[in-house]
Amino acid sequence: GRLTYAANWDQIESVPFWDQLDLIGVHAYFPLGSTTEPGIEELADSWNSVFSRLDGLSRRTGDLPVFFAEIGYNRSAAAATEPWSYAMADSPDIRRLRQRLIEAAIEAAEGESLVTGMFWWKWIPGPLGHDRDFSMKDPEALQALEARWSRSAVTTAE
């Protein structure tokens, strides 16, 4: 199997042993906007900057591919500016923001040959007793995943 280590997004440049692994693992909670309402273009520009940074790291470590060992967005007005935050809020605007962030991340990663995969944080099996923050079972998260992967499946099948 392939061996990786997952570093937090703000610590990836300080891992001294990437070149001894098969993949660069990243907890991909990169800030993606300067506002609480980033548009599609701002998100695309932010992801381009992220991938430029990851590409540089990959080149310095022997062209290792990147794996998002964790990626996710909470229901929060700050989900784009502080995606790591556990603070929660809820409104139709916040749900739309979260859906837009998930869709933008999937679209950006699908267009990047550098990325080999991504684990979405989090999906707790069983009852929802403690699966409230970052839950990928929320309707907006499921809709975002279904929208991107359904289109990909149709495109691939054609």
Side-chain angles (χ1 to χ4, degrees):
R2 293 167 38 169
L3 184 63
T4 190
Y5 168 81
N8 202 40
W9 68 273
D10 58 348
Q11 298 294 313
I12 55 177
E13 282 90 357
S14 62
V15 175
F17 50 84
W18 285 130
D19 60 346
Q20 297 174 38
L21 301 172
D22 300 310
L23 300 162
I24 296 170
V26 180
H27 289 175
Y29 297 102
F30 298 96
L32 296 175
S34 57
T35 69
T36 57
E37 291 290 327
I40 298 298
E41 288 182 24
E42 183 179 359
L43 292 175
D45 289 345
S46 294
W47 275 112
N48 286 338
S49 293
V50 166
F51 285 123
S52 178
R53 180 178 165 197
L54 292 173
D55 185 58
L57 177 62
S58 174
R59 289 173 192 244
R60 289 190 305 275
T61 58
D63 294 320
L64 290 178
V66 173
F67 176 72
F68 289 162
E70 251 185 55
I71 184 170
Y73 303 96
N74 208 2
R75 276 190 185 162
S76 166
T81 57
E82 296 180 359
W84 57 85
S85 175
Y86 281 90
M88 290 184 64
D90 196 11
S91 73
D93 287 343
I94 287 172
R95 288 175 185 240
R96 279 192 294 277
L97 170 62
R98 184 171 186 230
Q99 186 169 354
R100 188 176 333 124
L101 289 166
I102 294 169
E103 289 172 350
I106 293 170
E107 184 168 335
E110 284 178 343
E112 240 340 295
S113 61
L114 183 65
V115 176
T116 61
M118 50 186 9
F119 279 137
W120 284 95
W121 184 254
K122 64 185 173 179
W123 189 290
I124 305 296
L128 296 177
H130 64 283
D131 189 18
R132 61 188 180 279
D133 52 8
F134 290 86
S135 176
M136 292 306 290
K137 295 179 184 177
D138 292 339
E140 70 276 4
L142 292 173
Q143 288 169 2
L145 294 176
E146 181 180 35
R148 285 303 307 170
W149 287 342
S150 292
R151 280 196 300 250
S152 296
V154 170
T155 304
T156 303
E158 293 177 334

